[in-house]
Amino acid sequence: IFQRYNALNADEFDDSEYDIVVVHDPQPAAMIDHFPDSHARWIWRCHIDLSTPNESVLDVLLPSLARYDAAIFHMPQYVPRSGNLPEAFIWPPAIDPLAPKNIALSAEDAAYIVDQFGIDVQRPLLTQVSRFDPWKDPLGVIDAFRIVRETHPGLQLGLVGSMAHDDPEGWDFYNQTVEHAAGDPDIFILSNLNNIGSVEVNAFQVYSAAVLQKSIREGFGLTVTEGLWKVRPTVAGRVGGIPSQIQDGETGWLVDSVEECAAACLEILAEPGEARSRGIRGKEYVRQHFLTPRLLRDWLALFNRLDGNDTGETQLVTVSAEAA
Ligand code: UDP
């Protein structure tokens, strides 16, 4: 299936029109095999953690990956150990502050939007925005919510998770999440099927007393970036790219368990002023590191580097440079 779909996509693609081709993630990585005489530079952008891959799957990908001119990973430790990869560059992803998901939304507008989904805007809300995936741990989020609610009986929980088209296991886990919520009227399980789009995700993040991302494994965790950008007190699992975004105690809360997650939420609800200070510092950190202008600069520097041009003052991080 992998080979067949890569061939079908390659048929639809005319590489002669382009100087640079960027291919994202493993699914279309083998398209490059169909362009042996390409004049374009090919770059593979990997969004996932390949530090401990299923070796037999990686072995299928490696011959294709070896053909690329460069590969990009979020973090140095995500690069698989293999002599057969192109030069690996390291930079994190970014969010677009002008996109509907991240544009400034007033508290009133956010409340107006979440109200349409049944949220009682007189009462506080915790939200996790995530695909329905065991590694995002929505069941753990429900458990943490139940602990916090013992102290704050009016608390509500939003689990906002689109059903990704490339995630066939999503439905199964969605059903498990619904079952775990056990008909609790204060737990709102919403998705794109309820007409949740980018602006609605934005509104849930802006309206929430705390944004959660209680992952137990994570690539980068863009929902954390989004929460911080909205000056939200953000509570997230100490995994993957999340610790590179949150300095625990400084710009948010890093947690390793349901109990720690609940304790962080209790702290936020008890001391909103202190929580807001962390949110403000978190937003500043995102401004400096994870917005699209930085991403654009990295891309342009890499294009220049591949063309043998000066990359100006931009230092591109490669894995070997990082190790040194
Ligand atoms: N997202 C969304 N609607 C949802 C669930 C997720 O728009 O119902 C978005 C979310 O805002 C973020 C992205 O999907 O921009 C998820 O990225 P992340 O790195 O957090 O996790 P991934 O799904 O890539 O593992």
Side-chain angles (χ1 to χ4, degrees):
I1 291 170
F2 175 71
Q3 297 298 357
R4 185 153 52 90
Y5 275 85
N6 273 275
L8 284 169
N9 279 310
D11 270 351
E12 299 286 322
F13 184 69
D14 179 4
D15 70 313
S16 65
E17 288 183 43
Y18 301 100
D19 300 311
I20 310 248
V21 179
V22 181
V23 176
H24 290 265
D25 269 345
Q27 292 90 330
M31 277 175 68
I32 194 172
D33 300 347
H34 301 269
F35 303 95
D37 303 318
S38 183
H39 294 292
R41 313 239 180 236
W42 286 66
I43 302 170
W44 187 57
R45 200 329 169 200
C46 180
H47 295 262
I48 57 177
D49 174 359
L50 292 190
S51 53
T52 52
N54 178 326
E55 296 290 347
S56 59
V57 174
L58 186 64
D59 285 347
V60 172
L61 294 172
L62 277 176
S64 304
L65 299 183
R67 297 174 190 263
Y68 283 82
D69 296 291
I72 306 164
F73 295 86
H74 294 332
M75 309 214 289
Q77 51 274 38
Y78 285 8
V79 181
R81 268 170 236 106
S82 159
N84 219 3
L85 274 175
E87 186 166 26
F89 294 83
I90 310 299
W91 70 60
I95 57 166
D96 180 353
L98 304 180
K101 193 178 292 174
N102 299 309
I103 45 163
L105 212 56
S106 69
E108 293 71 31
D109 286 347
Y112 179 82
I113 293 172
V114 301
D115 186 25
Q116 324 255 309
F117 292 90
I119 305 299
D120 178 349
V121 295
Q122 306 303 321
R123 296 194 276 141
L125 173 76
L126 306 177
T127 295
Q128 173 158 299
V129 176
S130 279
R131 290 180 291 108
F132 290 99
D133 181 313
W135 287 347
K136 307 289 187 184
D137 199 19
L139 307 189
V141 171
I142 291 175
D143 294 339
F145 164 75
R146 287 185 169 137
I147 296 174
V148 182
R149 190 168 55 179
E150 288 170 14
T151 313
H152 296 273
L155 194 63
Q156 304 165 93
L157 174 65
L159 290 170
V160 176
S162 67
M163 305 308 294
H165 301 297
D166 60 352
D167 186 7
E169 289 146 359
W171 279 111
D172 236 19
F173 202 65
Y174 172 86
N175 290 334
Q176 281 184 49
T177 308
V178 170
E179 206 171 298
H180 202 67
D184 187 325
D186 287 331
I187 300 180
F188 296 81
I189 301 179
L190 301 166
S191 75
N192 47 335
L193 305 175
N194 304 92
N195 280 332
I196 291 265
S198 297
V199 174
E200 290 76 16
V201 167
N202 188 343
F204 270 85
Q205 290 168 329
V206 167
Y207 180 75
S208 294
V211 165
L212 312 186
Q213 189 52 60
K214 207 207 144 305
S215 302
I216 48 181
R217 273 196 81 167
E218 190 53 80
F220 181 70
L222 281 169
T223 53
V224 172
T225 333
E226 291 161 6
L228 294 173
W229 180 243
K230 287 152 193 152
V231 197
R232 286 305 83 202
T234 303
V235 179
R238 195 189 308 273
V239 290
I242 292 174
S244 70
Q245 303 188 60
I246 291 184
Q247 294 78 45
D248 193 20
E250 190 53 32
T251 55
W253 287 256
L254 291 178
V255 297
D256 292 304
S257 64
V258 165
E259 291 71 26
E260 284 183 23
C261 181
C265 295
L266 284 167
E267 206 182 310
I268 290 165
L269 293 167
E271 293 181 56
E274 162 55 21
R276 185 169 165 75
S277 310
R278 288 197 205 183
I280 290 170
R281 290 193 289 269
K283 175 164 191 164
E284 193 48 39
Y285 197 77
V286 170
R287 188 198 314 281
Q288 287 169 24
H289 296 92
F290 307 123
L291 294 186
T292 31
R294 193 230 77 231
L295 184 63
L296 178 62
R297 185 198 62 195
D298 289 341
W299 279 116
L300 293 176
L302 178 59
F303 298 164
N304 268 320
R305 162 107 169 229
L306 293 178
D307 272 348
N309 298 331
D310 186 4
T311 59
E313 289 175 9
T314 303
Q315 301 288 328
L316 283 166
V317 178
T318 61
V319 167
S320 48
E322 182 81 12

